[in-house]
């Protein structure tokens, strides 16, 4: 009887340690920190002047996700402070990122999330004013 109890305890302990394994990092833990900008694709202008804009990251450009829901960005000489909220492992809401309707930023998709790469894509919307959306590729 003691052997069965010890075997059950050993199996339970193995499951507990496996669940806490460092390889099972949550999305929140992985997205945190400073990321270098590879490129940032968006649209600029209104109506017939609406056109795609591709920004290629320079050395020193970054997206820095903090634990308190603040995102610091630097693209060229432009610094910005935004708020963000993860709504799931694959979705994020970033203030002033992509199209904003009624004061609310759309939910963006998180893809290609690894320890060294991250892509955030805001939906592309076709409006009477033009096409709007955004896609940022990051690395570290």
């Amino acid at each position: 009887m003691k052997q069965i109890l010890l075997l059950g305890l050993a199996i339970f302990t193995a499951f507990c340690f496996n669940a806490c394994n460092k390889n099972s990092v949550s999305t929140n833990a992985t997205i945190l920190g400073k990321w270098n900008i590879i490129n940032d694709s968006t649209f600029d202008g209104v109506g017939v002047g609406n056109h795609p804009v591709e920004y290629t990251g320079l050395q020193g450009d970054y997206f820095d996700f903090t634990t308190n829901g603040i995102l610091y960005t630097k693209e060229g000489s432009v610094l910005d402070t935004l708020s963000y909220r993860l709504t799931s492992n694959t979705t994020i809401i970033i203030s002033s990122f992509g199209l904003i309707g009624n004061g609310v930023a759309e939910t963006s998709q998180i893809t290609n999330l690894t320890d060294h790469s991250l892509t955030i894509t805001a939906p592309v919307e076709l409006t009477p004013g033009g096409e709007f959306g955004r896609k940022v590729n990051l690395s570290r």
Side-chain angles (χ1 to χ4, degrees):
M1 184 69 172
K2 284 185 179 181
Q3 291 174 338
I4 294 174
L5 184 60
L6 287 175
L7 180 60
L9 183 60
I11 291 171
F12 175 76
T13 304
F15 279 119
C16 287
F17 282 115
N18 191 32
C20 298
N21 188 339
K22 288 184 180 182
N23 292 332
S24 61
V25 178
S26 72
T27 300
N28 191 26
T30 304
I31 200 171
L32 292 175
K34 192 178 271 189
W35 295 83
N36 303 310
I37 299 172
I38 297 172
N39 62 356
D40 188 351
S41 304
T42 189
F43 295 88
D44 195 20
V46 177
V48 295
N50 182 254
H51 61 281
V53 175
E54 179 77 23
Y55 176 81
T56 302
L58 303 172
Q59 185 175 0
D61 288 351
Y62 60 82
F63 272 45
D64 189 2
F65 293 90
T66 66
T67 57
N68 61 353
I70 301 297
L71 168 61
Y72 298 102
T73 66
K74 178 184 180 295
E75 288 190 18
S77 62
V78 179
L79 298 169
D80 206 352
T81 302
L82 309 169
S83 62
Y84 78 93
R85 181 170 52 94
L86 290 169
T87 56
S88 77
N89 287 343
T90 58
T91 57
I92 187 170
I93 297 174
I94 302 174
S95 63
S96 302
F97 191 91
L99 194 63
I100 299 174
N102 296 325
V104 178
E106 285 189 310
T107 301
S108 299
Q109 296 299 308
I110 297 171
T111 57
N112 194 31
L113 178 58
T114 69
D115 287 340
H116 303 288
S117 67
L118 169 62
T119 300
I120 302 173
T121 307
V124 174
E125 301 286 340
L126 186 57
T127 72
E131 196 170 2
F132 296 94
R134 189 170 179 186
K135 181 177 182 178
V136 176
N137 292 302
L138 306 168
S139 70
R140 62 172 158 197

